[in-house]
Amino acid sequence: MFGMIPFDHRDSSLFDMFDNFERSFFGANNTASSFRTDIRDEGDKFVLEAELPGFKKEDIKLDLKDGILTISAQHSTENEEKKDSYIRRERRYGSFSRSFDVSGIQEDHITAAYNNGVLELTLPKAQPVVPAARQIDIQ
């Protein structure tokens, strides 16, 4: 609720103290455990685009269970540089996950492609089941 304000709001209330501290320390757009997604409605299908730069296709996992689609990605890299008596080591570990309700989607027709750091999922909409009309004979 506190993060719904689209502009920089300064409030000195006790309830906002930790929220404001987190924003100033980690940045206003802290997405440590998630990633950005865009979802388009193209009439007969939805197209979900998830930004996952720096990941390999093998690092990304798609799970579908009980109408919930979970996208998760995990990687770890280590860089070591030795120069004269100076040693520099950098490690980067990341794990990201988001879940989406895919009720109303043809789950067996979902397709996925990963190109240039963007995962694109095509989610075809389920066709509504219309009960067949029938004539009842009067006896």
Side-chain angles (χ1 to χ4, degrees), residues 2-28:
F2 299 126
M4 298 294 290
I5 301 170
F7 50 86
D8 191 18
H9 179 69
R10 306 246 184 241
D11 194 355
S12 59
S13 75
L14 180 62
F15 296 107
D16 288 334
M17 182 177 73
F18 290 111
D19 188 47
N20 291 337
F21 172 74
E22 181 183 24
R23 284 185 192 174
S24 64
F25 188 75
F26 295 110

PDB file of all heavy atoms in Angstrom, residues 2-28:
ATOM      1  N   PHE A   2       1.948   1.250   0.798  1.00  0.00           N
ATOM      2  CA  PHE A   2       2.786   2.430   0.887  1.00  0.00           C
ATOM      3  C   PHE A   2       3.576   2.665  -0.400  1.00  0.00           C
ATOM      4  O   PHE A   2       3.950   3.775  -0.696  1.00  0.00           O
ATOM      5  CB  PHE A   2       3.751   2.318   2.067  1.00  0.00           C
ATOM      6  CG  PHE A   2       3.048   2.192   3.379  1.00  0.00           C
ATOM      7  CD1 PHE A   2       3.349   1.149   4.221  1.00  0.00           C
ATOM      8  CD2 PHE A   2       2.080   3.106   3.759  1.00  0.00           C
ATOM      9  CE1 PHE A   2       2.707   1.019   5.431  1.00  0.00           C
ATOM     10  CE2 PHE A   2       1.434   2.988   4.967  1.00  0.00           C
ATOM     11  CZ  PHE A   2       1.742   1.927   5.805  1.00  0.00           C
ATOM     12  N   GLY A   3       3.848   1.594  -1.166  1.00  0.00           N
ATOM     13  CA  GLY A   3       4.622   1.734  -2.384  1.00  0.00           C
ATOM     14  C   GLY A   3       3.798   2.091  -3.595  1.00  0.00           C
ATOM     15  O   GLY A   3       4.307   2.110  -4.696  1.00  0.00           O
ATOM     16  N   MET A   4       2.520   2.409  -3.452  1.00  0.00           N
ATOM     17  CA  MET A   4       1.657   2.689  -4.585  1.00  0.00           C
ATOM     18  C   MET A   4       1.714   4.143  -5.028  1.00  0.00           C
ATOM     19  O   MET A   4       1.145   4.500  -6.028  1.00  0.00           O
ATOM     20  CB  MET A   4       0.207   2.326  -4.254  1.00  0.00           C
ATOM     21  CG  MET A   4      -0.001   0.857  -3.951  1.00  0.00           C
ATOM     22  SD  MET A   4       0.298  -0.178  -5.368  1.00  0.00           S
ATOM     23  CE  MET A   4      -1.079   0.257  -6.387  1.00  0.00           C
ATOM     24  N   ILE A   5       2.415   4.984  -4.302  1.00  0.00           N
ATOM     25  CA  ILE A   5       2.477   6.399  -4.633  1.00  0.00           C
ATOM     26  C   ILE A   5       3.501   6.591  -5.750  1.00  0.00           C
ATOM     27  O   ILE A   5       4.658   6.208  -5.599  1.00  0.00           O
ATOM     28  CB  ILE A   5       2.841   7.235  -3.396  1.00  0.00           C
ATOM     29  CG1 ILE A   5       1.791   7.013  -2.311  1.00  0.00           C
ATOM     30  CG2 ILE A   5       2.965   8.708  -3.748  1.00  0.00           C
ATOM     31  CD1 ILE A   5       2.159   7.589  -0.973  1.00  0.00           C
ATOM     32  N   PRO A   6       3.118   7.163  -6.901  1.00  0.00           N
ATOM     33  CA  PRO A   6       4.022   7.230  -8.042  1.00  0.00           C
ATOM     34  C   PRO A   6       5.062   8.330  -7.991  1.00  0.00           C
ATOM     35  O   PRO A   6       5.848   8.465  -8.894  1.00  0.00           O
ATOM     36  CB  PRO A   6       3.054   7.469  -9.211  1.00  0.00           C
ATOM     37  CG  PRO A   6       1.927   8.194  -8.601  1.00  0.00           C
ATOM     38  CD  PRO A   6       1.797   7.653  -7.202  1.00  0.00           C
ATOM     39  N   PHE A   7       5.092   9.124  -6.959  1.00  0.00           N
ATOM     40  CA  PHE A   7       6.068  10.195  -6.856  1.00  0.00           C
ATOM     41  C   PHE A   7       6.780  10.067  -5.522  1.00  0.00           C
ATOM     42  O   PHE A   7       6.374   9.320  -4.649  1.00  0.00           O
ATOM     43  CB  PHE A   7       5.392  11.568  -6.989  1.00  0.00           C
ATOM     44  CG  PHE A   7       4.203  11.735  -6.089  1.00  0.00           C
ATOM     45  CD1 PHE A   7       4.353  12.162  -4.790  1.00  0.00           C
ATOM     46  CD2 PHE A   7       2.931  11.440  -6.551  1.00  0.00           C
ATOM     47  CE1 PHE A   7       3.266  12.302  -3.959  1.00  0.00           C
ATOM     48  CE2 PHE A   7       1.837  11.577  -5.720  1.00  0.00           C
ATOM     49  CZ  PHE A   7       2.008  12.010  -4.420  1.00  0.00           C
ATOM     50  N   ASP A   8       7.870  10.798  -5.382  1.00  0.00           N
ATOM     51  CA  ASP A   8       8.659  10.739  -4.152  1.00  0.00           C
ATOM     52  C   ASP A   8       7.893  11.420  -3.029  1.00  0.00           C
ATOM     53  O   ASP A   8       7.698  12.621  -3.030  1.00  0.00           O
ATOM     54  CB  ASP A   8      10.012  11.414  -4.373  1.00  0.00           C
ATOM     55  CG  ASP A   8      10.971  11.146  -3.231  1.00  0.00           C
ATOM     56  OD1 ASP A   8      10.729  10.192  -2.471  1.00  0.00           O
ATOM     57  OD2 ASP A   8      11.968  11.883  -3.135  1.00  0.00           O
ATOM     58  N   HIS A   9       7.435  10.638  -2.087  1.00  0.00           N
ATOM     59  CA  HIS A   9       6.594  11.122  -1.004  1.00  0.00           C
ATOM     60  C   HIS A   9       7.391  11.051   0.299  1.00  0.00           C
ATOM     61  O   HIS A   9       7.849   9.994   0.681  1.00  0.00           O
ATOM     62  CB  HIS A   9       5.343  10.252  -0.913  1.00  0.00           C
ATOM     63  CG  HIS A   9       4.410  10.647   0.188  1.00  0.00           C
ATOM     64  ND1 HIS A   9       3.697  11.812   0.158  1.00  0.00           N
ATOM     65  CD2 HIS A   9       4.079  10.019   1.338  1.00  0.00           C
ATOM     66  CE1 HIS A   9       2.947  11.880   1.254  1.00  0.00           C
ATOM     67  NE2 HIS A   9       3.175  10.809   1.979  1.00  0.00           N
ATOM     68  N   ARG A  10       7.561  12.142   0.926  1.00  0.00           N
ATOM     69  CA  ARG A  10       8.298  12.175   2.187  1.00  0.00           C
ATOM     70  C   ARG A  10       7.296  12.230   3.335  1.00  0.00           C
ATOM     71  O   ARG A  10       6.480  13.127   3.415  1.00  0.00           O
ATOM     72  CB  ARG A  10       9.197  13.407   2.249  1.00  0.00           C
ATOM     73  CG  ARG A  10      10.106  13.508   1.057  1.00  0.00           C
ATOM     74  CD  ARG A  10      11.530  13.342   1.485  1.00  0.00           C
ATOM     75  NE  ARG A  10      12.395  13.526   0.344  1.00  0.00           N
ATOM     76  CZ  ARG A  10      13.190  12.586  -0.099  1.00  0.00           C
ATOM     77  NH1 ARG A  10      13.213  11.429   0.485  1.00  0.00           N
ATOM     78  NH2 ARG A  10      13.956  12.795  -1.135  1.00  0.00           N
ATOM     79  N   ASP A  11       7.385  11.249   4.192  1.00  0.00           N
ATOM     80  CA  ASP A  11       6.462  11.158   5.311  1.00  0.00           C
ATOM     81  C   ASP A  11       7.278  10.832   6.557  1.00  0.00           C
ATOM     82  O   ASP A  11       8.159   9.995   6.517  1.00  0.00           O
ATOM     83  CB  ASP A  11       5.420  10.082   5.068  1.00  0.00           C
ATOM     84  CG  ASP A  11       4.250  10.174   6.025  1.00  0.00           C
ATOM     85  OD1 ASP A  11       4.292  11.013   6.933  1.00  0.00           O
ATOM     86  OD2 ASP A  11       3.300   9.402   5.850  1.00  0.00           O
ATOM     87  N   SER A  12       6.978  11.482   7.637  1.00  0.00           N
ATOM     88  CA  SER A  12       7.748  11.258   8.848  1.00  0.00           C
ATOM     89  C   SER A  12       7.021  10.367   9.841  1.00  0.00           C
ATOM     90  O   SER A  12       7.385  10.324  10.995  1.00  0.00           O
ATOM     91  CB  SER A  12       8.067  12.611   9.502  1.00  0.00           C
ATOM     92  OG  SER A  12       6.868  13.290   9.812  1.00  0.00           O
ATOM     93  N   SER A  13       6.004   9.639   9.384  1.00  0.00           N
ATOM     94  CA  SER A  13       5.288   8.773  10.303  1.00  0.00           C
ATOM     95  C   SER A  13       6.121   7.533  10.625  1.00  0.00           C
ATOM     96  O   SER A  13       6.976   7.112   9.853  1.00  0.00           O
ATOM     97  CB  SER A  13       3.935   8.351   9.721  1.00  0.00           C
ATOM     98  OG  SER A  13       4.118   7.379   8.724  1.00  0.00           O
ATOM     99  N   LEU A  14       5.863   6.952  11.768  1.00  0.00           N
ATOM    100  CA  LEU A  14       6.587   5.769  12.212  1.00  0.00           C
ATOM    101  C   LEU A  14       6.332   4.585  11.273  1.00  0.00           C
ATOM    102  O   LEU A  14       7.226   3.783  11.030  1.00  0.00           O
ATOM    103  CB  LEU A  14       6.161   5.426  13.647  1.00  0.00           C
ATOM    104  CG  LEU A  14       6.826   4.210  14.279  1.00  0.00           C
ATOM    105  CD1 LEU A  14       8.335   4.454  14.378  1.00  0.00           C
ATOM    106  CD2 LEU A  14       6.242   3.954  15.653  1.00  0.00           C
ATOM    107  N   PHE A  15       5.131   4.497  10.719  1.00  0.00           N
ATOM    108  CA  PHE A  15       4.787   3.375   9.856  1.00  0.00           C
ATOM    109  C   PHE A  15       5.589   3.376   8.558  1.00  0.00           C
ATOM    110  O   PHE A  15       5.874   2.334   7.995  1.00  0.00           O
ATOM    111  CB  PHE A  15       3.291   3.375   9.533  1.00  0.00           C
ATOM    112  CG  PHE A  15       2.432   3.168  10.733  1.00  0.00           C
ATOM    113  CD1 PHE A  15       1.698   4.214  11.264  1.00  0.00           C
ATOM    114  CD2 PHE A  15       2.375   1.933  11.361  1.00  0.00           C
ATOM    115  CE1 PHE A  15       0.906   4.029  12.388  1.00  0.00           C
ATOM    116  CE2 PHE A  15       1.595   1.736  12.483  1.00  0.00           C
ATOM    117  CZ  PHE A  15       0.864   2.787  12.997  1.00  0.00           C
ATOM    118  N   ASP A  16       5.960   4.545   8.072  1.00  0.00           N
ATOM    119  CA  ASP A  16       6.702   4.639   6.810  1.00  0.00           C
ATOM    120  C   ASP A  16       8.213   4.668   7.002  1.00  0.00           C
ATOM    121  O   ASP A  16       8.954   4.657   6.022  1.00  0.00           O
ATOM    122  CB  ASP A  16       6.280   5.901   6.047  1.00  0.00           C
ATOM    123  CG  ASP A  16       4.895   5.780   5.477  1.00  0.00           C
ATOM    124  OD1 ASP A  16       4.462   4.643   5.224  1.00  0.00           O
ATOM    125  OD2 ASP A  16       4.249   6.830   5.290  1.00  0.00           O
ATOM    126  N   MET A  17       8.677   4.673   8.220  1.00  0.00           N
ATOM    127  CA  MET A  17      10.095   4.826   8.484  1.00  0.00           C
ATOM    128  C   MET A  17      10.915   3.716   7.827  1.00  0.00           C
ATOM    129  O   MET A  17      11.892   3.982   7.130  1.00  0.00           O
ATOM    130  CB  MET A  17      10.364   4.849   9.984  1.00  0.00           C
ATOM    131  CG  MET A  17      11.831   5.055  10.332  1.00  0.00           C
ATOM    132  SD  MET A  17      12.111   5.178  12.087  1.00  0.00           S
ATOM    133  CE  MET A  17      11.885   3.479  12.579  1.00  0.00           C
ATOM    134  N   PHE A  18      10.518   2.460   8.019  1.00  0.00           N
ATOM    135  CA  PHE A  18      11.295   1.356   7.455  1.00  0.00           C
ATOM    136  C   PHE A  18      11.152   1.285   5.937  1.00  0.00           C
ATOM    137  O   PHE A  18      12.104   0.970   5.236  1.00  0.00           O
ATOM    138  CB  PHE A  18      10.890   0.036   8.095  1.00  0.00           C
ATOM    139  CG  PHE A  18      11.335  -0.062   9.529  1.00  0.00           C
ATOM    140  CD1 PHE A  18      10.415  -0.033  10.546  1.00  0.00           C
ATOM    141  CD2 PHE A  18      12.683  -0.149   9.840  1.00  0.00           C
ATOM    142  CE1 PHE A  18      10.821  -0.105  11.861  1.00  0.00           C
ATOM    143  CE2 PHE A  18      13.100  -0.214  11.145  1.00  0.00           C
ATOM    144  CZ  PHE A  18      12.169  -0.196  12.173  1.00  0.00           C
ATOM    145  N   ASP A  19       9.976   1.589   5.436  1.00  0.00           N
ATOM    146  CA  ASP A  19       9.770   1.599   3.992  1.00  0.00           C
ATOM    147  C   ASP A  19      10.642   2.658   3.338  1.00  0.00           C
ATOM    148  O   ASP A  19      11.290   2.410   2.325  1.00  0.00           O
ATOM    149  CB  ASP A  19       8.300   1.834   3.673  1.00  0.00           C
ATOM    150  CG  ASP A  19       7.993   1.668   2.204  1.00  0.00           C
ATOM    151  OD1 ASP A  19       8.437   0.659   1.618  1.00  0.00           O
ATOM    152  OD2 ASP A  19       7.305   2.536   1.647  1.00  0.00           O
ATOM    153  N   ASN A  20      10.695   3.845   3.909  1.00  0.00           N
ATOM    154  CA  ASN A  20      11.520   4.917   3.371  1.00  0.00           C
ATOM    155  C   ASN A  20      13.010   4.591   3.495  1.00  0.00           C
ATOM    156  O   ASN A  20      13.799   4.914   2.610  1.00  0.00           O
ATOM    157  CB  ASN A  20      11.215   6.243   4.073  1.00  0.00           C
ATOM    158  CG  ASN A  20       9.848   6.780   3.726  1.00  0.00           C
ATOM    159  OD1 ASN A  20       9.290   6.443   2.684  1.00  0.00           O
ATOM    160  ND2 ASN A  20       9.287   7.588   4.601  1.00  0.00           N
ATOM    161  N   PHE A  21      13.400   3.930   4.608  1.00  0.00           N
ATOM    162  CA  PHE A  21      14.792   3.532   4.773  1.00  0.00           C
ATOM    163  C   PHE A  21      15.196   2.541   3.687  1.00  0.00           C
ATOM    164  O   PHE A  21      16.263   2.659   3.081  1.00  0.00           O
ATOM    165  CB  PHE A  21      15.018   2.915   6.155  1.00  0.00           C
ATOM    166  CG  PHE A  21      16.384   2.314   6.300  1.00  0.00           C
ATOM    167  CD1 PHE A  21      17.498   3.120   6.451  1.00  0.00           C
ATOM    168  CD2 PHE A  21      16.559   0.943   6.260  1.00  0.00           C
ATOM    169  CE1 PHE A  21      18.761   2.576   6.570  1.00  0.00           C
ATOM    170  CE2 PHE A  21      17.816   0.390   6.381  1.00  0.00           C
ATOM    171  CZ  PHE A  21      18.918   1.207   6.537  1.00  0.00           C
ATOM    172  N   GLU A  22      14.333   1.572   3.420  1.00  0.00           N
ATOM    173  CA  GLU A  22      14.632   0.576   2.389  1.00  0.00           C
ATOM    174  C   GLU A  22      14.769   1.226   1.019  1.00  0.00           C
ATOM    175  O   GLU A  22      15.662   0.907   0.248  1.00  0.00           O
ATOM    176  CB  GLU A  22      13.540  -0.485   2.356  1.00  0.00           C
ATOM    177  CG  GLU A  22      13.798  -1.556   1.316  1.00  0.00           C
ATOM    178  CD  GLU A  22      12.675  -2.564   1.227  1.00  0.00           C
ATOM    179  OE1 GLU A  22      11.540  -2.232   1.605  1.00  0.00           O
ATOM    180  OE2 GLU A  22      12.947  -3.664   0.747  1.00  0.00           O
ATOM    181  N   ARG A  23      13.890   2.155   0.713  1.00  0.00           N
ATOM    182  CA  ARG A  23      13.970   2.849  -0.575  1.00  0.00           C
ATOM    183  C   ARG A  23      15.248   3.646  -0.719  1.00  0.00           C
ATOM    184  O   ARG A  23      15.878   3.653  -1.770  1.00  0.00           O
ATOM    185  CB  ARG A  23      12.779   3.779  -0.752  1.00  0.00           C
ATOM    186  CG  ARG A  23      11.523   3.060  -1.102  1.00  0.00           C
ATOM    187  CD  ARG A  23      10.436   4.049  -1.379  1.00  0.00           C
ATOM    188  NE  ARG A  23       9.169   3.336  -1.435  1.00  0.00           N
ATOM    189  CZ  ARG A  23       8.020   3.938  -1.548  1.00  0.00           C
ATOM    190  NH1 ARG A  23       7.962   5.249  -1.622  1.00  0.00           N
ATOM    191  NH2 ARG A  23       6.920   3.240  -1.599  1.00  0.00           N
ATOM    192  N   SER A  24      15.637   4.351   0.339  1.00  0.00           N
ATOM    193  CA  SER A  24      16.842   5.174   0.243  1.00  0.00           C
ATOM    194  C   SER A  24      18.106   4.314   0.243  1.00  0.00           C
ATOM    195  O   SER A  24      19.088   4.653  -0.399  1.00  0.00           O
ATOM    196  CB  SER A  24      16.890   6.191   1.377  1.00  0.00           C
ATOM    197  OG  SER A  24      16.987   5.529   2.617  1.00  0.00           O
ATOM    198  N   PHE A  25      18.092   3.194   0.944  1.00  0.00           N
ATOM    199  CA  PHE A  25      19.280   2.350   1.028  1.00  0.00           C
ATOM    200  C   PHE A  25      19.449   1.482  -0.212  1.00  0.00           C
ATOM    201  O   PHE A  25      20.515   1.380  -0.784  1.00  0.00           O
ATOM    202  CB  PHE A  25      19.208   1.476   2.284  1.00  0.00           C
ATOM    203  CG  PHE A  25      20.470   0.713   2.540  1.00  0.00           C
ATOM    204  CD1 PHE A  25      21.588   1.362   3.046  1.00  0.00           C
ATOM    205  CD2 PHE A  25      20.536  -0.639   2.282  1.00  0.00           C
ATOM    206  CE1 PHE A  25      22.750   0.670   3.286  1.00  0.00           C
ATOM    207  CE2 PHE A  25      21.701  -1.339   2.522  1.00  0.00           C
ATOM    208  CZ  PHE A  25      22.814  -0.690   3.024  1.00  0.00           C
ATOM    209  N   PHE A  26      18.373   0.814  -0.639  1.00  0.00           N
ATOM    210  CA  PHE A  26      18.448  -0.112  -1.757  1.00  0.00           C
ATOM    211  C   PHE A  26      18.042   0.511  -3.089  1.00  0.00           C
ATOM    212  O   PHE A  26      18.205  -0.091  -4.135  1.00  0.00           O
ATOM    213  CB  PHE A  26      17.554  -1.331  -1.500  1.00  0.00           C
ATOM    214  CG  PHE A  26      18.025  -2.153  -0.350  1.00  0.00           C
ATOM    215  CD1 PHE A  26      17.296  -2.187   0.827  1.00  0.00           C
ATOM    216  CD2 PHE A  26      19.183  -2.900  -0.432  1.00  0.00           C
ATOM    217  CE1 PHE A  26      17.719  -2.960   1.886  1.00  0.00           C
ATOM    218  CE2 PHE A  26      19.615  -3.668   0.623  1.00  0.00           C
ATOM    219  CZ  PHE A  26      18.880  -3.697   1.789  1.00  0.00           C
ATOM    220  N   GLY A  27      17.449   1.672  -3.067  1.00  0.00           N
ATOM    221  CA  GLY A  27      16.969   2.304  -4.297  1.00  0.00           C
ATOM    222  C   GLY A  27      15.472   2.129  -4.408  1.00  0.00           C
ATOM    223  O   GLY A  27      14.893   1.169  -3.916  1.00  0.00           O
ATOM    224  N   ALA A  28      14.827   3.070  -5.077  1.00  0.00           N
ATOM    225  CA  ALA A  28      13.366   3.051  -5.165  1.00  0.00           C
ATOM    226  C   ALA A  28      12.852   1.895  -5.980  1.00  0.00           C
ATOM    227  O   ALA A  28      11.738   1.431  -5.776  1.00  0.00           O
ATOM    228  CB  ALA A  28      12.862   4.371  -5.757  1.00  0.00           C
TER     229      ALA A  28
END
